[in-house]
């Protein structure tokens, strides 16, 4: 039985930073978000996870609040924070919360949802509620940004050989982390991609000692009509990120 991504004991969460670090399709995302906020401007990151971008933007001088729903991911963010220079750490606040209902009772110069975070919830009422949360936290003149997947990439078929890993990487302890795509189903009309990704840890001889099948679902839709319900309009053409997704930038109408 597959467990959801980012839950306790999941290998996706335990090795998130290594897996994400290998993903060339994310290269440059921090520069895009940094380019949307004035020098020293405050930032709210929804779906901050292990703090990959949170730490990066704080390092560039931005006070930032990182919100995530997963205690497992937030625990890793805390470990990352512990290794940062005190001056950078002082700019970061990590908060457990749900982006569909959050109310921090303050505003920011940039609100952003990186790496398909919005796509984790259904593209209907949950997106509307999230855009209302985004708008509520935007200061005068602030921008909002969300990175969403491209439908043509979501539609790609699963690999023909499910028993062959699509990722095989060494771990610091000499073992290897493998990833298999066990299921990948795209539902037309609702634009929903259901995946079961199985992570496995193999001994140096190849013997698999741990398996973790994990369910990851993405939803996609044109975000502009749902953003409009919160009074947000597109600020510019979507920014291509790695040919698999785009960063959609909004401002108040
Ligand atoms: C792909 S990760 C992005 C992590 C990090 N910001 C990055 O770019 O590497 C997506 C994150 O969204 C979080 N998430 C999913 N649904 C959420 C919700 N309703 N509210 C807040 N966070 C959520 C997940 O727990 C996960 O950490």
């Amino acid at each position: 039985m597959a467990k959801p991504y980012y839950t306790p004991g999941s290998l996706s969460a335990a090795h998130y930073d290594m897996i994400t670090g290998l993903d060339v399709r994310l290269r440059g995302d921090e520069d895009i978000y940094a380019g949307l906020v004035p020098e020293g401007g405050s930032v709210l990151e929804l779906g901050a996870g292990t703090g990959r971008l949170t730490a990066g933007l704080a390092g560039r001088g931005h006070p930032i609040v990182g919100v995530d729903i997963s205690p497992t991911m937030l625990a890793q963010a805390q470990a990352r924070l512990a290794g940062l220079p005190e001056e950078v750490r002082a700019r970061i606040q990590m908060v457990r919360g749900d982006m569909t209902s959050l109310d921090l009772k303050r505003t920011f110069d940039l609100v952003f949802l990186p790496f398909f975070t919005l796509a984790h919830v259904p593209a209907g009422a949950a997106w509307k509620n999230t855009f209302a949360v985004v708008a509520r936290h935007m200061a005068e003149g602030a921008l909002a940004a969300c990175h969403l997947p491209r439908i043509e990439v979501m539609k790609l078929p699963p690999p023909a050989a499910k028993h062959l890993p699509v990722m095989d990487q060494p771990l610091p302890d000499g073992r290897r982390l493998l990833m298999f795509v066990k299921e990948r189903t795209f539902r037309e009309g609702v634009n929903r991609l259901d995946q079961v990704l199985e992570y496995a840890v193999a001994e140096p001889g190849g013997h698999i000692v741990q398996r973790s099948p994990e369910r990851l679902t993405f939803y996609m839709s044109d975000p502009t009509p749902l953003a409009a319900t919160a009074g947000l309009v597109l600020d510019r053409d979507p920014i291509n990120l790695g040919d698999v997704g785009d960063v959609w930038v909004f401002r108040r109408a």
Side-chain angles (χ1 to χ4, degrees), residues 6 16 20 29 45 47-50 52-53 67-70 73 97-100 114-115 117 120-121:
Y6 312 127
Y16 180 86
T20 310
D29 62 349
E45 181 183 4
T50 64
R52 174 179 73 92
L53 294 163
V67 174
D68 205 280
I69 203 166
S70 160
M73 297 292 271
D98 184 341
M99 67 183 173
T100 66
F115 196 6
T117 293
H120 288 70
V121 296

Side-chain angles (χ1 to χ4, degrees), residues 1-3 213-215:
M1 178 68 177
K3 61 165 82 91
E214 301 179 20
R215 185 167 293 284

Side-chain angles (χ1 to χ4, degrees), residues 115-248:
F115 196 6
F116 305 166
T117 293
L118 185 62
H120 288 70
V121 296
W127 280 32
K128 264 193 198 174
N129 292 341
T130 304
F131 279 118
V133 166
V134 167
R136 169 193 299 157
H137 290 93
M138 288 166 70
E140 185 76 35
L143 293 174
C146 59
H147 177 206
L148 289 167
R150 290 192 174 171
I151 288 184
E152 66 267 25
V153 177
M154 292 169 73
K155 283 183 181 174
L156 291 175
K162 289 185 187 166
H163 63 286
L164 294 178
V166 294
M167 183 192 78
D168 179 351
Q169 285 296 319
L171 292 169
D173 63 6
R175 300 188 298 175
R176 303 191 74 83
L177 181 69
L178 315 178
M179 200 251 274
F180 304 85
V181 178
K182 290 291 179 185
E183 279 176 43
R184 186 180 164 92
T185 312
F186 182 77
R187 294 191 211 168
E188 291 282 354
V190 285
N191 295 338
R192 170 179 169 152
L193 173 65
D194 286 291
Q195 304 169 91
V196 174
L197 306 177
E198 184 176 82
Y199 291 88
V201 175
E203 298 283 12
H207 177 62
I208 291 183
V209 289
Q210 191 182 357
R211 285 186 188 275
S212 176
E214 301 179 20
R215 185 167 293 284
L216 182 61
T217 297
F218 287 135
Y219 305 85
M220 183 51 189
S221 175
D222 176 357
T224 46
L226 294 162
T229 64
L232 302 178
V233 292
L234 211 52
D235 182 70
R236 62 195 75 185
D237 287 339
I239 304 165
N240 174 20
L241 190 50
D243 291 335
V244 292
D246 299 279
V247 178
W248 299 68

Side-chain angles (χ1 to χ4, degrees), residues 87-106:
E87 172 219 2
V88 176
R89 191 166 55 225
R91 291 191 202 107
I92 301 176
Q93 195 192 346
M94 298 302 293
V95 174
R96 181 162 185 225
D98 184 341
M99 67 183 173
T100 66
S101 60
L102 186 78
D103 188 0
L104 296 176
K105 310 223 178 297
R106 57 166 292 201

Side-chain angles (χ1 to χ4, degrees), residues 14-60:
H15 299 288
Y16 180 86
D17 287 332
M18 186 186 95
I19 298 162
T20 310
L22 292 166
D23 196 339
V24 292
R25 300 162 308 178
L26 288 174
R27 297 271 155 86
D29 62 349
E30 186 184 309
D31 290 338
I32 292 175
Y33 303 121
L36 299 175
V37 61
E39 203 178 316
S42 58
V43 179
L44 172 62
E45 181 183 4
L46 301 175
T50 64
R52 174 179 73 92
L53 294 163
T54 330
L57 289 168
R60 294 180 188 225

